[in-house]
């Protein structure tokens, strides 16, 4: 037989056997097999195993075997196994290659997969080689591709044990992106489990645990072809079947037993973490769509397994993951279903929350249940203080709005809706004036301008919730076009004393919103005559206009015909043009080729601070001095984000918008403290005043190792950006030796006048010295600081860690600080503008987060003492002559593993340098002693680092550059 060709005299066995399994997939089988036959390594055979298909898959397999004798063999199971395990096991038994790969009939191998994996196995002697899998969404418009845990495959590496890289076992549980030594499979008797889903999880775990050596390669080897709109869901996506979840839990138990038997218990912890934040989450998100009997059965299955999960794993996942798992264990559906809503919609606040002992918890239940150990665990899991819900005003909250009533009067065309909006921590006070409206908006972007609003007639404050009712006349009030705007989303806009917050309507109970209401599309009633409620994938109520079958067919023919193709081509072209027009590259071209050809506008000044994030610093001080002198000029301020807090007497433009670029192109002056967009060339008639944002402790510019390692072209490009500065403000000769040298600035660029932002600090010190009094001003009252409390300001430098949210964790126990010093000090916490901090309610009134204040200068002037680490605010605050404390808890890491510093802070600091929380508290307890002890050090510090800060910087700059704009 041809299939015995590999065994014929003089013909060696194949290097690789690729086992292709198929079930009812004759259409795609040929593509999968061809991806094997066209491998760049030729010593490959295909072993097709048909799982007793009911279509012609086996006949197709036989045909491939006939057309490729000796390279393709086909087998068929006697009966359908219902999964992937049995056909793959048959493939292992029939394989003749030295190595074995697995391929599903709806996927393909990358062309060089066998060559790359074989070479790695032969070079390293690995039992198992794993490469990068890519999920290819074949029905997406843009050919979307998602790499499967790519951080595992950034480089080639060989592991002697999977214990060296626990993430491999935990995350990459696929069997199909791997090459196995066949002798290894036989020796270890590795087979897939049969009769149970999620067989890959167990097989991969067995292979990882048994392999004497594992090699990972950064090459793409497997394309997992995903059809998002497939009519039939894959086995793993049939989560509506309770058996699906039962199988997953059974596989997890088997993997846990395997790890214990193999002496790898430490890996279970990593697996538990992944289970809480991934495996369990997949099923939890579907719970709102399931009935009560499913939920109870689901909870019973989950509880048994959750008991085996290491409780320490709860601390390693996001709070909402841990909360959901815990509440599921307790079968607390009243609190779990809202938590699942937040799990699905991460910004949503779904619980009324509770404040207890200065901490914020998801719910009050369970905090006092069980023994002391149980209570501690419950409080640890349910504590959401760090999420900062208690710090948000109502307009910045996305509140849960659960639908409690839905009734239709089909004849009248009205729908009565009722719901309850969560009121977390009483953010909506009982006496608040409440108004609301329901807004229906077309989901499709192109017609999203269409919105219809209906008043909410009833709004009641019910403590932990705001109850509402509304009657909507869809027949008369909603006029869709039809066809193009089939889906309509519903939002409730709640106004609390005139402040608006927007909610979505959560349909948390299956079958609540059903029915149909008459509707009159603008095109014609031939399109549709009614609208039906539906629930979105995120659990929100929406409405769909179902078009009639004849219209669907007509539209379908039109879309497929010439007019349709023309319309689609025009639409796509318009989208491309719009996307291109709004892209960064196009905006840069418009700046250079259009705006820069317009004449420079006399008297136009563009101001920017910290990349548009703030109205602050020296640009603010200079701007206000120009206003004080009543100069005749046009001021433009850039903002990134929201324009609140920026001056009302200036033109405000969003950073990177076309008006922003037009202003920069035509400005006579640029004034900022960091950098305008790097790709923008400054025109010769524009003067760039770079005020910079502080003297340097840490190395900057070309003094940084990272900059020195850049290519010559990259360094030249960076220098071009720096050469845009016409004037660079200098506050001391230290700046000349550090910043100016690091930026390779020419001497004529340097402007030795000090920082305009520090004029106010110099003036404050002079007033104190002349009067012997310190005037706090209105800021202290605004922050609620009692007259008998001194003020300390904690202002650390930027920290790179903190995840996507860049949350800065205070390096000391803020609650302990409040307890020990709350009767003496109010501590103001000012995180770097690129970080943010969350304070617990327990320190309210004693510790205040002032990070949202744009300008740090008034905070410095208010503070009786400064706590910092390596922030450049030390150079500014020193001008006040007040005590400073340096909490350098990570000094070695910061200095030696970071950029390095220009001087040793431990030797030159004008105040005590402490390394531990205890040392900090001791120093703060003796603040009066520190004032006297470090007086000379502070004066010397100012003389060295602030010699040009004499209080006249803003006035001097106006005299030099803007005096011609003084009004007669």
């Amino acid at each position: 037989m041809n299939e015995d060709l590999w065994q014929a005299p003089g013909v060696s066995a194949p290097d690789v056997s690729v086992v292709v399994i198929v079930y009812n997939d004759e259409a795609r089988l040929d593509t999968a097999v061809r991806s094997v036959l066209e491998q760049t390594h030729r010593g490959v055979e295909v072993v097709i195993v048909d799982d007793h298909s009911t279509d012609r898959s086996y006949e197709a397999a036989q045909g491939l075997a006939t057309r490729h004798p000796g390279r393709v063999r086909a087998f068929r199971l006697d009966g359908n196994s219902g999964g992937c395990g049995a056909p793959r096991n048959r493939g292992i038994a029939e394989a003749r290659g030295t190595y074995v790969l697995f391929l599903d009939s709806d996927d393909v191998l990358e062309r060089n997969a066998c060559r790359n994996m074989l070479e790695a196995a032969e070079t390293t002697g690995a039992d198992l080689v794993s490469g990068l899998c890519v999920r290819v969404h074949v029905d997406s418009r843009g050919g979307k591709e998602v790499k499967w845990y790519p951080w595992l495959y950034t480089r080639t590496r060989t592991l002697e044990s999977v214990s060296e890289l626990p993430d491999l076992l935990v995350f990459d549980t696929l069997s199909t992106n791997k090459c196995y030594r066949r002798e290894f499979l036989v020796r270890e008797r590795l087979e897939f489990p049969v009769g149970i889903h999620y067989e890959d999880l167990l097989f991969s775990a067995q292979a990882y645990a048994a392999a004497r050596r594992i090699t990972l390669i950064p090459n793409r080897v497997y394309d997992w072809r995903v059809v998002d709109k497939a009519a039939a869901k894959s086995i793993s996506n049939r989560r509506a079947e309770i058996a699906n979840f039962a199988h997953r839990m059974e596989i997890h138990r088997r993997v846990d037993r395997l790890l214990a038997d193999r002496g790898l218990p430490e890996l279970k912890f990593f697996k538990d973490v992944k289970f809480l934040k991934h495996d369990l989450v997949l099923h939890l998100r579907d719970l709102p769509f399931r009935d009560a009997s499913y939920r109870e059965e689901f909870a019973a299955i989950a509880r048994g397994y959750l008991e085996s999960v290491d409780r320490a794993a709860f601390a390693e996942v996001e709070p909402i993951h841990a909360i959901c798992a815990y509440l599921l264990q307790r079968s607390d559906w009243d609190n779990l279903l809202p938590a699942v809503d937040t799990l699905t919609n991460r910004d949503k606040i779904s619980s009324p929350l509770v404040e207890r002992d200065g901490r914020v918890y998801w719910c009050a239940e369970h905090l006092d249940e069980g023994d002391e150990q149980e209570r501690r665990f419950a409080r640890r899991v349910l504590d959401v203080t760090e999420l900062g819900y208690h710090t948000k005003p109502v307009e910045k909250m996305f509140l849960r709005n659960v639908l409690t009533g839905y009734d239709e009067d089909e004849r009248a065309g009205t729908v009565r809706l009722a719901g309850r909006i969560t009121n977390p921590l009483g953010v909506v006070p009982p006496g608040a004036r409440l108004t609301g409206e329901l807004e229906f908006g077309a989901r499709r972007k192109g017609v999203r301008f269409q919105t219809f609003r209906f008043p909410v007639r009833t709004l009641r404050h019910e403590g932990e919730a705001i109850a509402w009712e509304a009657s909507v006349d869809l027949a008369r009030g909603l006029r869709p076009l039809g066809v193009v705007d089939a889906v309509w989303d519903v939002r409730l806009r709640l106004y609390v004393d005139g402040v608006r917050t927007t909610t979505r309507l959560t349909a948390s109970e299956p079958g609540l919103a059903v029915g149909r209401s008459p509707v009159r599309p603008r095109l014609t009633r031939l399109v549709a005559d009614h609208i039906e409620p539906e629930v979105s994938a995120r659990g929100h109520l929406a409405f769909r206009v179902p078009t009639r079958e004849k219209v669907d067919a007509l539209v379908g023919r039109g879309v497929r015909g010439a007019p349709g193709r023309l319309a689609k081509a025009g639409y796509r072209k318009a989208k491309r043009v719009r996307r291109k027009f709004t892209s960064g590259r196009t905006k840069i071209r418009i700046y250079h080729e259009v705006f820069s050809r317009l004449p420079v506008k006399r008297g136009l000044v563009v101001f920017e601070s910290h990349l548009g994030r703030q109205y602050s610093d020296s640009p603010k001080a200079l701007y206000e001095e120009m206003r004080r002198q009543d100069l005749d000029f046009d001021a433009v301020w850039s903002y990134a984000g929201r324009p609140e807090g920026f001056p009302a007497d200036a033109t405000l433009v969003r950073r990177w918008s076309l008006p922003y670029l037009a202003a920069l192109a035509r400005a006579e002056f640029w004034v900022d403290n960091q950098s305008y967009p790097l790709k923008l060339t400054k025109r010769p008639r524009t003067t760039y005043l770079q005020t910079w944002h502080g003297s340097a402790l840490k190395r900057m510019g070309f003094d940084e190792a990272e900059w020195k390692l850049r290519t010559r072209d990259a360094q030249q490009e960076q220098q071009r950006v720096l050469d845009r500065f016409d004037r660079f403000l200098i506050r001391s000769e230290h700046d000349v030796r550090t910043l100016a040298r690091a930026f390779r600035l020419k001497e004529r660029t340097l402007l030795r006048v000090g920082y305009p932002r520090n004029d106010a600090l110099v003036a404050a010190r002079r007033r104190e010295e002349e009067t012997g009094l310190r005037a706090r001003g209105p800021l202290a009252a605004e922050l609620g600081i009692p007259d008998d409390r001194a003020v300390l300001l904690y202002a650390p430098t930027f920290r790179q860690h903190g995840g996507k949210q860049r949350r800065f964790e205070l390096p000391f126990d803020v609650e302990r600080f409040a307890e020990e010093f709350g009767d003496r000090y109010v501590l103001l916490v000012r995180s770097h503008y690129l970080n943010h901090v969350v304070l617990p309610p327990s320190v309210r009134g004693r510790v205040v987060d002032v990070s949202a204040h744009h300008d740090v200068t008034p905070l410095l002037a208010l503070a009786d003492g400064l706590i910092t680490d390596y922030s450049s605010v030390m150079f500014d605050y020193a001008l006040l002559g007040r005590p400073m404390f340096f909490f350098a808890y990570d000094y070695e890491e910061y200095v030696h593993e970071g950029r390095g510093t220009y001087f040793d802070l431990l030797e030159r600091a004008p105040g005590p340098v402490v390394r531990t929380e205890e040392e900090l508290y001791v120093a703060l307890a003796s603040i009066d002693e520190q004032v006297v002890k470090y007086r000379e050090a502070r004066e010397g510090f100012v003389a060295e680092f602030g010699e040009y800060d004499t209080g006249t910087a803003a006035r001097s700059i106006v005299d030099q550059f803007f005096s011609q704009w003084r009004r007669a």
Side-chain angles (χ1 to χ4, degrees):
M1 294 176 61
N2 287 329
E3 63 190 35
D4 294 327
L5 180 62
W6 293 110
Q7 302 301 319
V11 179
S12 60
D15 294 317
V16 180
S17 295
V18 179
V19 177
V20 181
I21 63 170
V22 61
Y23 176 71
N24 286 355
D25 197 21
E26 60 176 309
R28 292 181 290 190
L29 179 61
D30 182 75
T31 301
V33 171
R34 191 166 62 249
S35 76
V36 181
L37 297 177
E38 294 176 356
Q39 287 289 300
T40 53
H41 183 82
R42 303 302 296 171
V44 179
E45 73 162 348
V46 182
V47 179
I48 304 175
V49 182
D50 174 61
D51 195 12
H52 207 88
S53 297
T54 59
D55 67 356
R56 295 183 55 81
S57 293
Y58 183 55
E59 287 78 0
Q62 288 178 311
L64 287 164
T66 300
R67 292 194 299 275
H68 303 281
R71 295 202 69 196
V72 179
R73 293 182 292 142
F75 303 90
R76 190 185 197 195
L77 299 188
D78 294 336
N80 178 250
S81 68
C84 301
R88 284 180 183 158
N89 290 340
R90 176 68 180 275
I92 295 172
E94 299 292 347
R96 294 171 176 170
T98 307
Y99 298 92
V100 177
L101 277 74
F102 301 107
L103 173 65
D104 292 345
S105 60
D106 52 350
D107 300 331
V108 295
L109 288 183
E110 194 277 333
R111 193 163 181 266
N112 297 294
C114 290
R115 176 183 296 279
N116 290 329
M117 299 177 93
L118 183 64
E119 181 180 319
E122 294 291 284
T123 302
T124 64
D127 286 333
L128 185 160
V129 175
S130 189
L132 180 65
C133 170
V134 177
R135 286 171 58 97
V136 180
H137 294 259
V138 295
D139 55 352
S140 66
R141 289 182 178 178
K144 177 183 173 184
E145 294 187 352
V146 180
K147 295 178 180 178
W148 186 257
Y149 300 113
W151 78 84
L152 297 171
Y153 298 100
T154 56
R155 59 185 174 87
T156 299
R157 51 181 162 176
T158 298
L159 312 173
E160 298 301 322
S161 167
V162 72
S163 297
E164 298 175 27
L165 186 61
D167 277 358
L168 183 61
L169 177 139
V170 169
F171 291 98
D172 189 359
T173 56
L174 299 178
S175 65
T176 48
N177 60 330
K178 296 171 178 60
C179 174
Y180 310 86
R181 194 179 295 271
R182 185 162 64 94
E183 182 273 330
F184 159 65
L185 297 177
V186 173
R187 181 185 76 230
E188 298 294 337
R189 298 180 180 177
L190 293 181
E191 289 188 339
F192 290 85
V194 177
I196 187 169
H197 303 326
Y198 303 104
E199 59 283 314
D200 267 22
L201 274 70
L202 181 58
F203 182 83
S204 296
Q206 291 171 330
Y208 285 141
R212 295 172 181 171
R213 186 169 292 164
I214 302 169
T215 295
L216 309 182
I217 61 175
N219 308 85
R220 179 174 183 164
V221 299
Y222 194 92
D223 281 7
W224 178 355
R225 295 166 67 83
V226 180
V227 181
D228 295 308
K229 299 175 183 177
K233 291 186 177 181
S234 65
I235 291 172
S236 60
N237 284 325
R238 297 174 194 164
R239 292 190 289 271
E241 304 169 7
I242 194 65
N244 185 289
F245 183 63
H247 284 206
R248 187 187 285 269
M249 294 300 94
E250 176 57 26
I251 286 292
H252 273 283
R253 290 188 188 93
R254 295 187 190 185
V255 173
D256 292 345
R257 287 197 297 270
L258 166 72
L259 296 178
D261 293 343
R262 287 279 183 172
L264 299 169
E266 71 280 2
L267 294 182
K268 183 179 182 300
F269 173 77
F270 296 97
K271 180 178 161 297
D272 285 346
V273 172
K274 193 235 183 179
F275 173 79
L276 292 177
K277 70 180 183 181
H278 176 73
D279 299 74
L280 184 60
V281 168
L282 289 176
H283 294 268
L284 282 172
R285 285 175 175 158
D286 292 329
L287 281 185
F289 305 103
R290 308 289 174 247
D291 59 26
S293 61
Y294 178 97
R295 293 173 185 172
E296 291 299 334
E297 194 171 354
F298 177 85
I301 295 170
R303 273 198 305 270
Y305 186 74
L306 283 169
E307 290 299 327
S308 71
V309 172
D310 189 336
R311 284 191 163 183
F314 282 73
E316 299 299 319
V317 299
E318 293 183 38
I320 194 61
H321 291 151
I323 288 168
C324 286
Y326 177 80
L327 295 174
L328 178 62
Q329 271 188 290
R330 309 303 295 257
S331 291
D332 182 353
W333 298 105
D334 289 341
N335 288 305
L336 173 58
L337 289 178
V340 171
D341 199 0
T342 293
L343 186 68
T344 304
N345 303 278
R346 288 305 178 86
D347 295 329
K348 186 181 289 188
I349 306 176
S350 300
S351 168
L353 308 176
V354 61
E355 184 179 330
R356 181 85 63 84
D357 301 325
R359 306 294 293 178
V360 177
Y361 298 96
W362 184 260
C363 57
E365 293 81 359
H366 319 300
L367 297 180
D368 301 310
E369 296 176 358
D371 59 21
E372 181 62 27
Q373 184 177 355
E374 279 299 319
R375 290 196 295 272
R376 280 202 302 268
F377 179 63
R379 290 178 179 237
R380 188 166 69 245
V381 170
L382 298 173
D383 191 331
V384 292
T385 308
E386 297 303 317
L387 297 181
Y389 293 144
H390 59 285
T391 67
K392 293 184 177 182
V394 68
E395 65 269 23
K396 293 189 177 180
M397 288 183 168
F398 178 23
L399 301 175
R400 186 174 198 243
N401 184 354
V402 63
L403 193 67
T404 58
Y406 184 95
D407 294 306
E408 287 188 351
D409 185 338
E410 185 175 348
R411 181 172 300 178
T414 59
V415 177
R416 188 189 69 81
L417 301 166
R420 286 171 60 83
I421 302 171
T422 300
N423 185 20
L425 300 173
V427 68
V428 180
R433 179 171 54 86
L434 303 178
T435 57
E437 61 184 8
L438 286 173
E439 179 184 274
F440 287 68
R443 182 176 296 175
R444 190 166 181 171
K445 291 182 179 179
V447 291
R448 193 170 289 174
F449 61 88
Q450 279 201 119
T451 57
F452 299 92
R453 295 183 175 88
F454 304 88
V456 175
R457 300 297 184 189
T458 303
L459 282 161
R460 296 188 308 275
H461 197 294
E462 296 184 352
E464 292 187 342
I466 307 300
W468 61 271
E469 295 177 10
S471 184
V472 179
D473 188 347
L474 293 180
R476 292 183 177 84
L478 183 64
R479 296 297 308 277
L481 292 172
V483 182
V484 296
D485 54 354
V487 181
W488 290 76
D489 292 314
V490 190
R491 292 170 173 82
L492 190 151
R493 300 189 184 277
L494 175 68
Y495 294 84
V496 181
D497 290 329
V499 176
R500 188 183 78 183
T501 185
T502 302
T503 69
R504 299 293 301 271
L505 276 58
T506 297
S508 62
E509 289 299 326
L512 176 62
V514 293
R516 52 186 285 166
S517 298
V519 74
R520 295 182 300 162
R522 293 178 186 272
L523 294 179
T524 170
R525 283 194 176 181
L526 291 174
V527 172
D529 63 359
H530 69 278
I531 193 168
E532 299 173 352
E534 67 176 22
V535 180
S536 72
R538 292 185 174 272
H540 296 139
L541 180 68
F543 286 85
R544 178 178 293 276
V545 181
T547 54
R548 297 170 183 260
E549 293 181 5
K550 289 184 180 180
V551 174
D552 285 342
L554 180 64
V555 171
R557 287 197 299 271
V559 167
R560 290 189 294 270
R565 287 194 297 271
L566 184 63
K568 286 192 289 184
Y571 175 70
R572 290 169 184 160
K573 182 177 180 181
K575 281 185 67 176
R576 285 196 300 271
V577 169
R578 181 181 178 184
R579 187 163 54 242
K580 183 177 180 181
F581 186 74
T582 57
S583 69
R585 181 178 298 178
T586 301
K587 286 182 175 180
I588 292 171
R589 286 190 60 189
I590 292 173
Y591 171 85
H592 287 107
E593 298 176 15
V594 179
F595 294 150
S596 292
R597 293 181 179 178
L598 299 173
V600 170
K601 185 177 179 182
R602 179 176 173 79
L604 177 58
V605 186
V606 179
F607 296 87
E608 184 172 287
S609 179
H610 293 302
L611 308 178
R613 291 182 174 90
Q614 297 176 353
Y615 173 58
S616 67
D617 212 80
S618 291
K620 172 189 175 184
L622 181 57
Y623 170 75
E624 293 185 347
E625 177 64 24
M626 294 169 74
R627 286 298 189 203
R628 268 193 298 273
Q629 294 197 29
D630 194 27
L631 301 186
D632 185 11
F633 71 107
D634 290 329
V636 171
W637 267 93
S638 89
Y639 68 92
R642 301 172 66 88
E644 284 81 0
F646 285 83
D649 55 355
T651 300
L652 306 183
V653 294
R654 184 183 296 276
R655 200 172 195 266
W656 265 115
S657 66
L658 291 178
Y660 170 79
L661 297 176
L664 284 176
R666 302 195 63 193
E668 188 173 354
F669 284 89
W670 290 1
V671 179
D672 91 316
N673 64 354
Q674 198 155 338
S675 178
Y676 286 109
L678 306 183
K679 297 291 184 180
L680 303 185
T681 301
K682 182 184 71 67
R683 299 174 70 176
R685 289 188 57 197
T686 300
T687 300
Y688 190 165
L689 297 181
Q690 175 54 259
T691 69
W692 204 240
H693 51 274
S695 297
L697 168 62
K698 50 185 175 287
R699 294 187 179 276
M700 303 289 292
F702 289 103
D703 287 343
E704 293 182 57
E706 178 188 344
W707 283 41
K708 293 177 181 178
L709 294 174
R710 293 179 182 177
T711 64
R712 179 179 298 178
D713 288 344
Q715 291 193 26
Q716 289 176 346
E717 177 65 18
Q718 188 63 51
Q719 191 61 57
R720 185 195 67 78
V721 171
L722 296 170
D723 288 344
R724 295 183 302 175
F725 304 158
D726 292 298
R727 290 291 188 272
F728 187 89
L729 268 56
I730 295 294
R731 57 187 305 222
S732 71
E733 288 304 307
H734 169 76
D735 290 353
V736 177
R737 296 188 298 270
T738 55
L739 291 171
R741 188 189 67 183
F743 294 155
R744 299 175 180 173
L745 302 177
K746 297 178 175 61
E747 173 63 29
R748 66 173 180 271
T749 304
L750 308 184
L751 194 62
R752 292 172 169 83
V753 294
Y755 284 168
R757 73 184 187 194
N758 288 337
D759 290 351
L761 300 181
V762 174
R765 181 172 183 175
R766 285 176 180 163
R767 282 195 301 272
E768 290 174 24
E769 292 174 344
E770 291 170 0
T771 64
L773 300 174
R774 181 176 304 170
R776 280 186 165 179
L779 183 57
E782 177 187 330
L783 296 175
I785 299 173
D787 293 337
D788 62 345
R789 308 282 168 82
V791 178
L792 295 177
L793 173 65
Y794 177 50
T797 192
F798 171 64
R799 289 301 195 281
Q800 191 69 43
H801 47 70
K804 291 182 180 179
Q805 303 299 321
R806 288 181 172 174
R807 182 174 295 147
F808 174 65
E809 294 187 12
L810 293 174
F812 56 90
D813 185 342
V814 68
E815 291 177 294
R816 180 187 169 192
F817 178 93
E819 186 67 28
E820 293 195 19
F821 295 104
D823 59 342
R824 294 177 56 186
Y825 305 128
V826 171
L827 178 67
L828 308 181
V829 177
R830 163 75 178 210
S831 64
H832 190 276
Y833 69 91
L834 293 176
N835 293 129
H836 83 275
V837 68
V838 174
L839 300 175
S842 58
V843 301
R844 194 179 287 127
R846 295 173 292 176
V847 184
V848 182
D849 180 12
V850 293
S851 303
H853 285 250
H854 279 227
D855 199 0
V856 72
T857 302
L859 298 170
L860 294 175
L862 174 63
D864 298 292
L866 173 72
I867 307 170
T868 187
D869 44 17
Y870 324 107
S871 172
S872 64
V873 296
M874 69 175 76
F875 300 106
D876 306 308
Y877 191 78
L879 297 169
L880 292 164
R882 302 173 191 169
M884 304 163 68
F885 305 86
F886 298 85
F887 189 17
Y889 58 92
D890 57 352
Y891 186 75
E892 281 74 19
E893 175 187 349
Y894 189 86
V895 172
H896 301 301
E897 297 179 23
R899 300 186 201 167
T901 58
Y902 285 116
F903 60 86
D904 189 345
L905 182 65
L906 301 181
E907 297 179 359
R908 308 278 286 282
V913 180
V914 296
R915 311 295 288 276
T916 68
E917 185 174 356
E918 295 298 334
E919 292 176 353
L920 175 64
Y921 291 168
V922 169
L924 292 177
S926 58
I927 190 170
D928 294 334
E929 297 177 19
Q930 310 300 334
V931 172
V932 177
K933 182 178 180 180
Y934 287 93
R935 178 174 287 119
E936 290 186 12
R938 289 194 299 272
E939 296 301 329
F941 197 77
V942 171
E944 181 172 3
F945 298 110
E947 58 187 299
Y948 302 129
D949 274 325
T950 60
T952 60
R955 198 160 62 247
S956 175
I957 292 170
V958 169
D959 289 344
Q960 292 186 55
F961 297 96
F962 306 115
S963 59
Q964 71 276 16
W965 296 345
R966 288 193 175 101
R967 301 177 195 272

